[in-house]
Structure formats: structure tokens, C-alpha cells
Amino acid sequence: MDTPERKQIATTSVSKFEDSPVFNYINNLSPIQPVKSIHTTQTFNSLSFASLPSVFTSPHVSSYKESRFLRRHSVADLSKPDFASENGNKVDTNGGVTGSVSQLQENSSAPDGNSDSLSNPTKLPSVHPLSTKEEPQAMKSDSARPDCDQKLPDSVTESGEDPALIEPYVHNKSGNGSAEAEANKQVVSLTEEREATGYDWESLITEGSDLLIFSSPNGSEAIRLVQKPLDLVTGFTSSTLSQIMENDNTNLSKMRIADPIESSGGQQEIEFLSSQAGEARELKDMDRAIDSLSFPNSSNSMSREITDDEVARYITDDCKPVSNLYRGMRRRCLDFEAAVSRRKNLEDGSTSGSVSTHPEEKMPSVDKQLVPYKTGGVASRCILTGIGLHLNALATASKDAKTLNQEKFSSEKQLNLPNSSASCHSPSTGLDPRLTSVVTERDMDPSENGVHNEEDAVRASAYVLAEDFNQNSPKKKRRRLEHAGETESSCKRCNCKKSKCLKLYCECFAAGVYCIEPCSCQDCFNKPIHEDTVLATRKQIESRNPLAFAPKVIRNSDSLPEPGDESNKTPASARHKRGCNCKKSSCLKKYCECYQGGVGCSISCRCEGCKNAFGRKDGSSLLGLETEQEEEEPETNQASAMDDKALHGPEIPNNEEQNPGSAIPSTPLQHCRQLVPLPFSSRSKPLRSSFLNVGSSSGFYTGNKLEKPNILQSQPDPGKNTLPGMEDEMPDILCGNCSPGAGVKTGSPNSKRISPPQSDFGLSPLPRTGRKLILQSIPSFPSLTPQH
DNA sequence: GAGTTTGAAACT
DNA sequence: CAGTTTCAAACTC
């Protein structure tokens, strides 16, 4: 019935919800709608405001503003009544879903073949007592999710891991494989165009918001929202956020999807969307998982107004299996950051008297400087915090539409598959939304004192969950990581045996992330459970070497020229922070950190017989300004003897440049690094808050200053010196935003040179900003791109 | 998968 | 600061 109309509407008025078509659409949906639209709008506003107070009460507010999606989204919502109606609908659905949480859990437990996931959770308790204690149920729910995803045919799930496989699968799946494939292509092209054009997130968001309206199938549900408590509001935001994110990624897809749910082809379309919005979905899932963990009971409060159909819809839309690995990665990264930031705050106590008691309160300061990881809830954390490389990757994603798209596709495809299959039946998905909302509130509301503990618990649980998910198929995970080498977030896995993962020997630790299941480490202390130990050790190491956790490779992204920026003067260069000391590898193997990081050797390097394909320390580095040139013929300029090597070099570098992440075949780190673009403009100001947030991921590292004169001579200690307080509290993070950039910028790049250019261009060109220095996190993990 | 090589990190 | 040892990744077989 509605389908045809809906479609028309969607297609015609996709861009603007304000258009009458939207209203028509709503009206079509349900007779109640007219009332709804009104109510909803108002309600929404009222609700939003109501919720806001809590949020804003805390200093977080600022952070929120900075925060990306959520904040913006919320704003958009407020401004747009139609939007609200839809949101309301979603919220309701969420609530309905939550209502059926128990069922979902059971379903999840169902043996669709994910018995492993279930078993893992059980295992977790022993491993992570905290998480288990706090919210065993929640964990179950989380675990259930994966199951839900897994419900899809085994082949599908597996394919999900491998993007390449996934795509085909998706196509096959959809009745109109070719049609969808085309649609995907279009979407991709669009996204790329956007990035190329310098699409702003905001614009994307707005578009997304528009789309959102269409996407929501049931206008009737909106009314329910009004009735629902404030909690829902928060949920709404989260849900909306997720939607927005999705929308951003897939405007076109949404157009199609607009009606999909009920239309016969709805599922296929849905899948398509999900694939595109994979990233957003993952975030959502994370949030949900967290919510479920932290507030399993919250669902009870929800009134079950949503019908089964609604739930089913919700599931189809939202329940997108996220690659477990991906999830885990983010979480661990985020968690780690959060912990660090938290810890720093506590330690620094000076900022706020009772840090430990009210961690969140302190957060604001941190958030402001860093990224508001907490503000946005888990999902937001992931993105904003960006702490880990992974996060950076996300940020990068925004910048690099291509990478993002790829990641999204891969990730989403995985997710979608499950959904597409009837498997989504499991209500488990339903739970998430609401939970998410709850979480959001929690995060948003700083007033809550107990938050810290809860957060910790959540973190632990999340960590556990991530591990659990990962455990499902370690092999698969590895595969993903490998394949995905692209996804930086894919985080690293270590194999430490004696360091307990508390030394820089440990890649995970060095990267600022907790070890996760895929790690083969022994006696590992780099886990949320041992947060204190980790932080203490970290601090100790930092005291020894402030730059210890700073990105080893510092990049200056040429790709984005800022008008008027000094960047023009400064050569784009990326180089290893400390330089390498290779003697036998000729800087042609991954033993060489410079090579591993995809950067050329610089003056700071003490290597012997340098043949670094990315740039030799001899002279190639000088060429650095023009990375491209160097890349093309780094060695040509230099000694002829090197030519042979150079030949090899060029090839590699080129690859990297083109696909930074891929450039270095085996190392995922590059991806991460690439992804990690920090927003430091020459002036050290982040182009956009969003970027900053993202950049924060590197935050850990970013905080550090560039020691090496070669690269950044400029300003010695910009970060720490300038902002001691900041440093203390959030040296890493803060520095990330401020110091690094400043340092880099300030440091007259010109003065020092940098060697070879890196492939940064291709890697992460920030669309808008001119040149940006990007700190590459060492970690090779796959990042956003993901990969997974 | 086991063993070797390598160079960073840690230690003295 | 230099030299040595330890460590884990990278690499090879």
C-alpha cells in the first residue's frame, strides 16, 4: 500500500524532510500521524531539552557541541520537527525491542551456530570478574547480538569477514543483485565525490537527517515517543545519531530504502543500507552492547508499545551484525583511552577535587581538549575519542571517504547479511537501541556519580564482549585483520611472553590499546581489569620518555591544502619520530620502523646502508617536500648504487601512497596511521571539531611532542610545556590536539625536513583543511577502513 | 609451526 | 651516554 507512495516521496523529497512530501508520507503511514507530527515535534523538543539539561549541566556540554554526530544530530532534530517524529518512532521501536530483551537474549543464546559466543561470555567472568559481576546479563545480551548476526548462513557470516566475499554475497542475497550492486557503486561514488568535494560532515548530517525522516517507516510510533520518558529521549538521540551516520554514508541508499521495510524488496534494500551504514551501525551496536551491559534492566521501564512488526522492522534496520572484531577493537581502544583520560584526571586531581568520585565531572576538561569520548556514549567515544588508532581511522574515514566507504561496506556487509536473512528475528537487536539510549543518557549526564564505576564495569564488559566476539572465530578474526589489513582498527595483536604486555615491546600496549582475545600474549596485564597497573606503567614509561607513546611516525598530509595556510611553505613530510637504527635490513624490511611506518628515513635516522624505498635519509629526505616526486623516484636523485633498490622502493611507496594502508602490505599499522589524521593545521588548530575528536584517537600519542628536531624543530615541547596542566591530565590526548599539531606546525616544518614524503596524499587527505599534520600511530592495525 | 634475524626497548 | 641485554616482531625455512 504505502510502498509506492513512500517510494515516490522518498525519491522526490529525499533531501528535505521539510518538504510537504514528508508530511504526506507520515500521514500515509498512520492516521495518527497528523497528531503525531505535532506532538512528536513538540514532544521531541521538550524531551530533548529535558534530557539536555542533565547533559549540559556538566561541563560536557562543550564537549558535546564538539562531539560529532550526536550533538549535531540532536541539534538537527530539535530544529526539525519532522525529524523528531521519526526519531520518536525509532525510539519507540527501541523501547519495544528492549521490552523483548529477555526474549532476545534467549534467542541469542540459541544455537545458531554461535555457541562459541555464548560460551565466551561464560568464560569471561573468570577472566573479567568485574564485567561479569556488574552485568552478566548485559553481557549475555551482547553476546546474543552476535548470534543474531550469525543467524545468517554460515557462509554468509564468513563472507562477512572478508569484504570481498561479502559483497558478492550481498548481491546474491538481494533479489536484484545487479541493481543493488549498482546502487552500492553509486553510493560509493557519491561518498567519494563528497569527500573529494570536501563535503562537510554537517552537510552530510543534515542530509542524513532528511533521509532519516524517510527512513523511519512508522510515523505512528512517533506518538509513542511523546509518551515515553526522558530515557527514551536519550535513546532517541543515540538512535538518531546512528541513523544519521548511516544516512551520511548512504543518502542514495536511503532513498531506496525509504520504504523498504514493508515492501517486498524491503529486506534487500535494508541490507544494502546496512552495508553502507556499517560503520554507524557498529557504533550503534557498541552502544547497545554497552547499554545492555550497564543497564540491562532499563528495558523494563520501557513500555511495550511496539508491536512485533515494529520490532521486526527495527531489527531489520538496526540489527546489523557488526563484525565482532571491529567492535572489540574499538572498544578496547576506547576503553583504554577512557581509562587513561580518566586516570589522568584522577591523578591530576588538581583539575577537579574529586576525580575518582566523579570522574565524569572531570571529563569535561578532558573532553574539551581532547575528544569527548564519554559524551557521546560509547559510540561517540569510539569515534570521538579516537583514542586508539582505530578511532583515528574513523576520523580519517570521514576524511577519506574511500577508505570509509570500503570499511563501511565491508563491515556493513557483514552486518547486513545477518539481517537480511530472516535471522534478524531475534529480538536481541531490539534491546540494543534502548539500551543505547540509556547509555547515552548516562554518558550525557555527568551528574551521576556512580558513573565512573559503571563505566569501568561497562568498559570491562565491553572488553569482555569484544573478546567474546572475537573468540567466535579467532581464525576469522585474524583473517579479517590480515585482509583488512586495511582496517587499522583491527587492532594489533601481540604475542608477548615476558613483558606482560606492559612494556613498549608489546604492540598493543605501545599503541595504547588493551590486549584482546586475538592476542597470544601470556600473563597479560594490559587489560581493563588491570587498568591501574596499565596506567601506572604507562605513566612510568612516559616519565622516562614522554614521547614513548607518541606516534612514531609523524605525517604531514599534503593532500589537504589549506588556503592561506602556511602549509605551502612547509613541506609535506612524514617521518619517524626518532628515526631508525637499522644496520642489516637496509631499511627495506619491517624491522625498520621508518619503513614499517611507510615513511622515508630522515636525518634523525642512524641507519646504515639505508635503502628505504620511501625515502633515504641521505638526500631523499630532502626531497621530502614533494612526496610524490620522492615516491616516484626517491632514489633517482640519489646515488645510482641505490637505484636497484630504488626500483623496489618506488613500487612500494607508490602502493602506499595510493593506498596508504595497503601500501605496506603486511602492516596494518599504516592503515591506522593513515587514518589517524590529526587535525593540526599549520596553526595547530583543528579544522573541525569532529576531526579533532577523531584525532584524539591518536590522542594518546598525539599529546607527545615531537622530539626530533629534524622533523619538528620548531617548537620544543609545545604541548607539554605550553599546557602543563593539560598534559598532566590528558597529556596524550590533549597533546594530540594541541601540542602535536602545534608542535608540528610551529616547528617550522620548513626548517626541518623531512624526508620523503609519504604517501600521505593518498592516505588521508583531509578534505577541507589544507595541510594537516597527521600523527600516525604506530599500531598497524586496521582501522576504520575496514575493514573488518 | 619452529627457528632465526632484527632492531627497538630496557637495563646497566 | 654508551654498551649490553631483553624482548617481540619480522622473517625464513
Side-chain angles (χ1 to χ4, degrees):
Chain A
M1 292 175 60
D2 294 349
T3 348
E5 291 177 356
R6 290 178 184 175
K7 289 179 180 178
Q8 290 176 349
I9 294 166
T11 55
T12 57
S13 63
V14 173
S15 62
K16 297 178 180 180
F17 54 86
E18 291 177 353
D19 293 352
S20 61
V22 173
F23 291 95
N24 293 337
Y25 172 79
I26 294 168
N27 292 336
N28 292 339
L29 293 176
S30 69
I32 297 166
Q33 292 171 350
V35 174
K36 285 187 213 171
S37 59
I38 297 167
H39 277 299
T40 313
T41 310
Q42 293 175 348
T43 313
F44 173 78
N45 292 342
S46 65
L47 291 175
S48 64
F49 286 109
S51 65
L52 290 176
S54 64
V55 173
F56 288 100
T57 51
S58 66
H60 292 287
V61 173
S62 63
S63 64
Y64 264 99
K65 291 178 180 178
E66 291 177 356
S67 68
R68 19 109 168 255
F69 300 108
L70 248 173
R71 294 170 188 173
R72 289 180 184 177
H73 178 62
S74 63
V75 172
D77 293 348
L78 292 174
S79 64
K80 298 176 182 179
D82 291 349
F83 210 120
S85 66
E86 275 204 359
N87 292 341
N89 292 341
K90 285 194 172 181
V91 171
D92 290 349
T93 52
N94 292 345
V97 173
T98 53
S100 62
V101 170
S102 61
Q103 293 177 352
L104 292 176
Q105 289 177 349
E106 290 178 358
N107 292 341
S108 66
S109 64
D112 283 346
N114 290 343
S115 59
D116 292 351
S117 64
L118 292 175
S119 64
N120 290 342
T122 56
K123 237 169 118 182
L124 293 176
S126 62
V127 176
H128 304 280
L130 293 176
S131 62
T132 56
K133 288 178 182 177
E134 291 179 356
E135 303 251 1
Q137 292 177 350
M139 290 180 67
K140 288 180 181 179
S141 65
D142 288 350
S143 65
R145 277 190 178 179
D147 293 350
C148 176
D149 293 349
Q150 292 176 351
K151 288 179 179 179
L152 296 176
D154 294 348
S155 63
V156 172
T157 35
E158 290 179 355
S159 64
E161 292 176 352
D162 188 350
L165 295 177
I166 295 167
E167 288 181 357
Y169 170 81
V170 171
H171 294 297
N172 292 340
K173 207 174 159 184
S174 63
N176 299 338
S178 62
E180 287 189 357
E182 290 178 356
N184 290 336
K185 290 179 181 178
Q186 290 177 350
V187 172
V188 172
S189 63
L190 290 175
T191 54
E192 290 178 354
E193 288 181 358
R194 288 179 184 174
E195 289 181 355
T197 353
Y199 247 69
D200 290 354
W201 281 96
E202 291 177 356
S203 64
L204 292 175
I205 292 168
T206 54
E207 290 179 358
S209 64
D210 292 348
L211 295 175
L212 284 174
I213 294 169
F214 292 97
S215 65
S216 66
N218 296 338
S220 62
E221 291 176 355
I223 294 168
R224 294 175 185 173
L225 275 179
V226 175
Q227 292 176 347
K228 294 192 175 181
L230 296 178
D231 293 350
L232 294 178
V233 173
T234 56
F236 166 82
T237 12
S238 63
S239 65
T240 307
L241 175 63
S242 64
Q243 289 180 349
I244 291 169
M245 293 178 67
E246 290 177 357
N247 290 338
D248 290 348
N249 293 338
T250 63
N251 290 341
L252 294 178
S253 63
K254 288 264 173 184
M255 305 253 328
R256 294 176 62 186
I257 296 168
D259 299 352
I261 295 168
E262 291 181 1
S263 65
S264 62
Q267 267 191 336
Q268 294 175 350
E269 289 179 353
I270 291 167
E271 290 178 356
F272 175 78
L273 285 176
S274 65
S275 64
Q276 290 178 345
E279 187 76 6
R281 304 231 176 215
E282 287 182 355
L283 292 176
K284 258 192 209 172
D285 290 340
M286 291 180 66
D287 290 349
R288 291 177 185 174
I290 292 167
D291 289 345
S292 64
L293 292 173
S294 62
F295 302 91
N297 294 339
S298 63
S299 63
N300 295 340
S301 64
M302 295 292 291
S303 60
R304 242 201 116 120
E305 293 175 356
I306 297 168
T307 63
D308 292 347
D309 292 348
E310 289 176 353
V311 172
R313 290 178 185 175
Y314 173 83
I315 292 166
T316 52
D317 288 341
D318 294 344
C319 171
K320 299 176 175 174
V322 175
S323 64
N324 295 340
L325 181 63
Y326 205 43
R327 233 187 252 165
M329 302 274 308
R330 289 180 181 177
R331 287 182 182 174
R332 82 169 166 165
C333 293
L334 291 175
D335 292 348
F336 188 78
E337 280 185 357
V340 172
S341 63
R342 218 184 280 149
R343 176 48 79 70
K344 288 179 180 180
N345 289 340
L346 293 174
E347 289 176 355
D348 290 349
S350 61
T351 17
S352 63
S354 62
V355 174
S356 62
T357 341
H358 306 280
E360 286 183 353
E361 290 178 357
K362 289 180 177 180
M363 295 303 295
S365 63
V366 171
D367 291 351
K368 290 176 181 178
Q369 293 173 348
L370 297 178
V371 175
Y373 53 90
K374 288 183 179 180
T375 56
V378 174
S380 64
R381 287 181 188 175
C382 295
I383 296 167
L384 295 178
T385 5
I387 300 144
L389 301 178
H390 315 298
L391 294 180
N392 291 339
L394 289 176
T396 307
S398 64
K399 293 176 181 178
D400 294 349
K402 292 179 181 179
T403 42
L404 290 176
N405 291 341
Q406 292 175 350
E407 289 180 354
K408 289 177 181 177
F409 283 96
S410 64
S411 65
E412 289 184 352
K413 288 177 181 177
Q414 293 174 349
L415 293 175
N416 292 342
L417 294 177
N419 291 344
S420 63
S421 63
S423 62
C424 288
H425 299 304
S426 67
S428 61
T429 56
L431 293 175
D432 296 350
R434 197 183 167 185
L435 293 176
T436 307
S437 65
V438 172
V439 172
T440 307
E441 280 185 358
R442 198 183 33 149
D443 292 348
M444 305 260 320
D445 189 349
S447 63
E448 294 179 359
N449 292 343
V451 172
H452 178 66
N453 293 340
E454 289 180 354
E455 288 179 355
D456 290 349
V458 171
R459 260 188 281 148
S461 63
Y463 173 78
V464 171
L465 291 175
E467 288 182 353
D468 292 348
F469 292 121
N470 292 340
Q471 288 177 351
N472 290 345
S473 59
K475 291 179 181 178
K476 290 179 180 179
K477 290 178 180 179
R478 288 183 182 179
R479 235 196 256 160
R480 290 178 183 176
L481 292 176
E482 291 176 356
H483 287 294
E486 317 161 353
T487 64
E488 68 178 330
S489 56
S490 60
C491 304
K492 307 193 153 197
R493 286 167 291 152
C494 66
N495 190 31
C496 304
K497 294 177 181 177
K498 295 181 180 180
S499 65
K500 296 181 180 179
C501 297
L502 290 177
K503 293 190 176 182
L504 293 175
Y505 294 128
C506 176
E507 289 189 0
C508 297
F509 180 79
V513 299
Y514 287 121
C515 291
I516 56 176
E517 172 236 348
C519 293
S520 302
C521 45
Q522 299 175 3
D523 298 334
C524 179
F525 277 79
N526 186 26
K527 294 186 177 182
I529 298 173
H530 302 291
E531 177 181 340
D532 294 343
T533 303
V534 172
L535 294 175
T537 304
R538 186 182 174 85
K539 217 173 184 181
Q540 185 178 358
I541 293 171
E542 284 180 336
S543 64
R544 213 188 301 153
N545 177 13
L547 298 178
F549 293 93
K552 291 181 180 177
V553 175
I554 298 165
R555 287 190 181 183
N556 178 354
S557 67
D558 296 343
S559 60
L560 302 178
E562 282 182 0
D565 187 0
E566 302 162 355
S567 60
N568 294 340
K569 296 176 181 179
T570 63
S573 63
R575 70 172 44 116
H576 191 273
K577 177 179 62 178
R578 278 181 293 131
C580 65
N581 190 31
C582 304
K583 294 181 179 176
K584 295 181 180 180
S585 66
S586 299
C587 301
L588 289 174
K589 294 188 178 182
K590 281 185 162 184
Y591 295 126
C592 175
E593 290 190 352
C594 294
Y595 179 87
Q596 189 174 35
V599 300
C601 291
S602 62
I603 297 169
S604 61
C605 295
R606 300 165 296 285
C607 50
E608 296 176 0
C610 178
K611 297 177 183 179
N612 190 329
F614 297 96
R616 298 176 186 173
K617 79 175 175 183
D618 295 352
S620 62
S621 64
L622 296 179
L623 297 180
L625 294 179
E626 300 287 334
T627 55
E628 292 177 356
Q629 293 176 350
E630 288 181 357
E631 289 176 355
E632 291 177 357
E633 294 180 355
E635 296 175 358
T636 55
N637 294 341
Q638 303 178 1
S640 61
M642 303 305 286
D643 292 351
D644 294 347
K645 297 174 181 178
L647 294 177
H648 297 289
E651 291 176 356
I652 294 167
N654 290 343
N655 293 342
E656 288 181 355
E657 290 176 354
Q658 290 174 350
N659 295 336
S662 64
I664 299 171
S666 46
T667 26
L669 293 180
Q670 289 176 344
H671 298 288
C672 295
R673 293 174 183 175
Q674 292 173 346
L675 295 179
V676 180
L678 293 181
F680 336 155
S681 55
S682 59
R683 294 175 185 178
S684 76
K685 292 179 181 178
L687 295 178
R688 292 180 182 179
S689 63
S690 65
F691 285 102
L692 290 176
N693 291 343
V694 173
S696 67
S697 66
S698 54
F700 277 147
Y701 311 113
T702 54
N704 299 339
K705 303 164 184 177
L706 297 180
E707 292 176 353
K708 292 211 157 182
N710 23 346
I711 297 169
L712 305 178
Q713 301 174 327
S714 48
Q715 304 174 337
D717 319 268
K720 291 181 179 180
N721 293 341
T722 48
L723 299 175
M726 301 292 288
E727 290 175 355
D728 292 349
E729 292 177 355
M730 308 224 8
D732 295 349
I733 298 168
L734 292 176
C735 292
N737 291 347
C738 305
S739 62
V744 171
K745 293 176 183 176
T746 53
S748 56
N750 295 342
S751 60
K752 274 247 144 165
R753 225 8 343 134
I754 311 185
S755 46
Q758 275 222 342
S759 43
D760 292 350
F761 297 90
L763 296 180
S764 60
L766 295 181
R768 298 183 179 152
T769 56
R771 264 185 198 185
K772 294 180 180 178
L773 293 178
I774 295 169
L775 293 180
Q776 290 178 337
S777 52
I778 294 169
S780 49
F781 285 71
S783 59
L784 303 182
T785 26
Q787 328 231 13
H788 298 280

